[in-house]
Amino acid sequence: MKNKHMILGVGLGNNFGNHPATWRMPHVDPGSYTNIDVTVEQAKAAERGGLHFVFVADRLFMIGDLATSPPLMNMDPIITLSALAQATERIGLIGTASTSFTEPYLLARQLKALDVISHGRAGWNAVPSYEPDAFANFGKVLPPRENKYERLHEVMQVVHALWGSWGYEAGQPDQAGMFADPSYIRPVNLQGRHVGARGPLPVPPSEQGQPVIIMPASSGYGLQAAGMYANVVIGMPFSIEESRVQRHTVRQAAAQAGRDPEEIKFIAFAGFTIGDTERQALNARRALDDRIDIRGPMSRLSAYLGLQQELTLPDEPLTTAQLASVREHPQDDRSARAVELAKAGWSPRDILAHAVFDPIPSVVGTAEQAADHLQEWFEAGAADGFLVNFDDFHTGIDDFVDRVVPILRERGIFNDGYEGKTLRDHLGLPPQYGLDPRIATGSTGEIR
C-alpha cells in the first residue's frame, strides 16, 4: 500500500546551501553560518509550504576547506532544532545524533525534551559514526563495523526503554492530589556490553509519545537495525528502479523483524534549482559554478564522457569528432546523464550546471520539471516521499514552496495543509511508546 499524498521534508545545513560557492553570492550574508535567525526563516518558509519536516544532518568532525567554503554541516543539530521548536508551530524537527559516543541516558533526555517542548514534532536520525576523524575527536579509534552496530542495538533499546519509563498511567498533575503517580515512573535497569542505564527519565510523554526514529538506507547490519527500529528510512538512489529495490528491501527487513511493513516509510533524496525556464535555472547554477575552480569538474567530465583529451572549450558544444568518441563511464550511472546531455548539444559548462555530479538525483529546470520528477518517482512506487535539497537555501526553499508545491497540490499528490499536529501524524505512523515489545530483553535486564 502507498499513501495518496507524498511526504516532503527539506534538508538544512550550514545556512548557505549545498553548493560550496553559495556563501559568495551578492544576496547572501557571509556571516549566515552562525545566525540562527537565518535558519528560522528557512524553517518558516518550509512550514509555509506545508512541508512535513526539516532535517539537520551531522558529522562529528570538520568537513570542508575553510579557505574556500564554510563547514558543510550545522554547528549542532539538537541545539538548532530546539531554537526552531520555539519559532515554528507544525513542521517536524529531525536531527542527527550518533549512537557511537553519547551515553543513551543523555541522548534519551535531550531528544525527548525536544519532543516535549515542540509538542510532539521531534525525530531522531540515529546513525553509528564511521569516520576515523569522528572517533579521534572522542579519543577513540574506529572499531570493527560489527562492534559499532552492537553498540547501536544497545543504545536503541536503552533509549526506547527510558522514553517509556514515565508511563502514561502516571497521569497529569493534580493540585489536590499527586503531581504524578510514582508507581508508573520506574527504573529500566538495562545493561549491555557497551552501555546501560538505571533510569527512569524525568520527562513525561509528548503529544506523540516519543520521537520518531529515522535511519539511513544501508545493508547488512545497518539494514537489520533499520528493520527493527526505524519508522523512516532515507536513501540516496539514482534511479526509479534502484529506489524501488531499496524501498522493497527495507520493507522486507521490517517484516523479518516482526513488524508490519506499512510501519516504515522510505524517503529518497532529490535536489532542485528552479527557474522560470530551464535556461534561467541553468544560469543560476552557472553563477555558482563560476565562483569555484571548475578545472577539476571539467577534467572529471572528460573522463565520464570517455574522452582521452581534456575539454578545452567549456562554452561550446562538443565537436562531431568528440561526440563520436563519447562513451558512458562503466562504474558510475551518472555518466549516462552526462552523455545524454552532450549528445543533445549542451556545452560542457551547461552539462555541469545540470548537476550531473551531484550525489543525489537533481533537477535544474522549471517548477513543472521538478514536479514531474517527484510525481514520476512517487507514482512508480519508488518512494513514499522525498528529502529535498537546494544549492541556495536563501532562495531555493521559497522557490520550491511558491512554485513546485502548488503544482503538486493541483495534481492531488501533496497535502493541502497539515492534517495533524505531530510528526507522527504528518508521516502517517502508528503510535509507539517505550521499547517495542517485539524486541526482547533478558529478565535480568541484560540487553540481548
Side-chain angles (χ1 to χ4, degrees):
M1 292 180 63
K2 186 168 66 69
N3 291 349
K4 176 183 177 182
H5 294 147
M6 67 176 64
I7 297 165
L8 286 177
V10 60
L12 302 182
N14 59 14
N15 276 351
F16 295 107
N18 289 336
H19 196 287
T22 304
W23 72 280
R24 296 184 183 274
M25 298 299 290
H27 65 275
V28 172
D29 175 6
S32 294
Y33 176 61
T34 57
N35 189 344
I36 190 64
D37 293 335
V38 173
T39 324
V40 166
E41 289 307 309
Q42 293 165 3
K44 284 185 173 180
E47 186 172 59
R48 178 170 61 82
L51 272 63
H52 298 106
F53 62 87
V54 296
F55 178 94
V56 182
D58 194 25
R59 290 290 188 273
L60 292 169
F61 64 100
M62 184 77 73
I63 298 180
D65 177 5
L66 294 185
T68 60
S69 61
L72 183 61
M73 300 295 175
N74 179 273
M75 289 187 292
D76 185 276
I78 303 302
I79 290 176
T80 296
L81 293 175
S82 296
L84 297 185
Q86 298 302 293
T88 57
E89 296 179 0
R90 305 293 285 277
I91 196 164
L93 308 168
I94 298 175
T96 302
S98 173
T99 61
S100 297
F101 309 111
T102 307
E103 293 300 311
Y105 185 89
L106 183 57
L107 272 175
R109 186 176 68 168
Q110 289 177 330
L111 292 163
K112 199 177 182 192
L114 175 63
D115 202 32
V116 167
I117 67 173
S118 66
H119 300 287
R121 294 187 284 137
W124 174 27
N125 181 39
V127 295
S129 295
Y130 60 89
E131 313 93 336
D133 287 345
F135 281 84
N137 280 338
F138 290 85
K140 300 177 183 293
V141 297
L142 185 68
R145 181 175 172 84
E146 59 269 21
N147 287 7
K148 288 188 297 178
Y149 276 97
E150 186 177 71
R151 178 184 166 101
L152 178 143
H153 282 284
E154 293 184 5
V155 168
M156 297 302 293
Q157 293 185 36
V158 173
V159 165
H160 277 84
L162 287 168
W163 282 346
S165 63
W166 186 308
Y168 281 106
E169 299 87 350
Q172 300 297 316
D174 180 0
Q175 290 182 322
M178 293 186 293
F179 179 80
D181 187 339
S183 64
Y184 293 103
I185 304 172
R186 299 170 178 169
V188 298
N189 293 323
L190 287 172
Q191 185 62 50
R193 284 187 57 198
H194 303 275
V195 299
R198 183 181 65 181
L201 198 68
V203 187
S206 74
E207 280 87 335
Q208 69 173 358
Q210 65 190 31
V212 171
I213 298 294
I214 298 88
M215 300 182 82
S218 186
S219 59
Y221 295 115
L223 177 61
Q224 179 193 37
M228 293 174 67
Y229 308 112
N231 305 118
V232 176
V233 169
I234 300 180
M236 298 179 69
F238 267 94
S239 68
I240 286 176
E241 186 55 39
E242 182 184 1
S243 193
R244 279 176 174 156
V245 170
Q246 287 191 17
R247 182 174 182 265
H248 177 70
T249 300
V250 299
R251 287 167 64 86
Q252 277 189 317
Q256 289 169 0
R259 299 169 59 197
D260 182 346
E262 294 300 317
E263 295 180 18
I264 197 164
K265 306 296 181 182
F266 182 77
I267 291 177
F269 275 88
F272 299 99
T273 300
I274 307 299
D276 291 336
T277 64
E278 185 176 5
R279 181 71 263 169
Q280 187 185 73
L282 288 169
N283 288 344
R285 177 81 179 212
R286 282 183 56 159
L288 291 167
D289 289 344
D290 287 346
R291 286 166 168 80
I292 60 174
D293 186 350
I294 67 165
R295 287 177 295 179
M298 287 291 290
S299 177
R300 186 179 176 194
L301 179 60
S302 298
Y304 269 49
L305 293 174
L307 301 176
Q308 299 300 314
Q309 296 181 335
E310 295 290 320
L311 293 163
T312 58
L313 298 174
D315 293 311
E316 298 294 331
L318 273 65
T319 66
T320 301
Q322 287 173 325
L323 288 173
S325 300
V326 162
R327 299 287 186 276
E328 293 182 14
H329 193 285
Q331 296 179 347
D332 195 323
D333 292 339
R334 287 173 290 181
S335 70
R337 175 64 171 155
V339 168
E340 176 188 343
L341 292 166
K343 290 182 176 179
W346 294 98
S347 70
R349 200 185 296 271
D350 278 340
I351 294 173
L352 293 176
H354 274 91
V356 293
F357 289 146
D358 280 15
I360 58 176
S362 297
V363 175
V364 181
T366 65
E368 288 77 13
Q369 288 174 310
D372 289 346
H373 172 85
L374 296 173
Q375 182 174 9
E376 182 182 13
W377 280 53
F378 180 66
E379 292 185 345
D384 300 295
F386 303 89
L387 177 57
V388 295
N389 287 254
F390 304 100
D391 289 333
D392 184 343
F393 296 150
H394 297 76
T395 59
I397 301 173
D398 283 314
D399 283 344
F400 187 85
V401 164
D402 294 333
R403 301 185 185 194
V404 181
V405 165
I407 297 173
L408 297 175
R409 285 175 171 161
E410 288 172 6
R411 297 179 182 182
I413 53 176
F414 186 61
N415 55 276
D416 290 327
Y418 294 108
E419 298 177 357
K421 294 183 178 181
T422 71
L423 178 56
R424 206 169 286 272
D425 291 336
H426 301 341
L427 303 180
L429 298 172
Q432 182 182 346
Y433 194 63
L435 189 63
D436 191 320
R438 293 166 292 196
I439 300 172
T441 58
S443 60
T444 62
E446 181 181 355
I447 300 171
R448 291 182 179 174

